[in-house]
Amino acid sequence: MPKWQRAAICLAALAVTCVFFINFCNLVYQCGCVSLWAGADKHCNIHHGPKHCPWCSSRLTGYLVWITMAVSQTLVSFWPAPWRWPARLFWATAAFPLVGVILALPIGLYQGYWN
């Protein structure tokens, strides 16, 4: 598979992450975040409420989570495996929620978010 195809797969997977990262945040933490086109963090509990979303309350944490997702998607996109493009696209895109859950649960537990 040519590198330009792997780059296109990487960009497509990263686009999904960019668009739906905030929705995933709400899915995991039920913090009130909505789609970018519907207000983004306008209703997030960082602006009101006793609990504060672990990703939104610390921008550094949110950025590091996003970067970790992006790096994992890039690695899958360019991994020297003999995958055809549909499988590579699937796994590069799937890295977003998989890595997200792996990171979200310990961060939420460490911060006592669900207590």
Side-chain angles (χ1 to χ4, degrees):
M1 174 179 293
K3 286 191 179 184
W4 71 266
Q5 283 182 333
R6 292 176 189 227
I9 287 169
C10 184
L11 290 175
L14 290 172
V16 170
T17 303
C18 288
V19 171
F20 295 108
F21 180 80
I22 198 160
N23 299 81
F24 185 77
C25 174
N26 184 59
L27 178 70
V28 174
Y29 296 117
Q30 298 294 304
C31 59
C33 288
V34 293
S35 300
L36 295 173
W37 52 89
D41 72 341
K42 183 177 179 182
H43 304 290
C44 183
N45 62 13
I46 61 169
H47 303 297
H48 52 81
K51 293 189 178 201
H52 294 272
C53 173
W55 290 358
C56 297
S57 62
S58 168
R59 289 184 186 202
L60 178 61
T61 301
Y63 291 141
L64 290 175
V65 168
W66 189 91
I67 288 168
T68 304
M69 290 174 176
V71 167
S72 68
Q73 290 179 301
T74 303
L75 289 173
V76 170
S77 297
F78 288 96
W79 197 260
W83 298 337
R84 296 170 61 92
W85 75 263
R88 192 173 297 274
L89 178 62
F90 172 80
W91 287 111
T93 306
F96 156 47
L98 292 173
V99 171
V101 167
I102 290 168
L103 296 174
L105 293 177
I107 291 170
L109 291 171
Y110 175 76
Q111 293 187 5
Y113 184 75
W114 294 293
N115 293 340

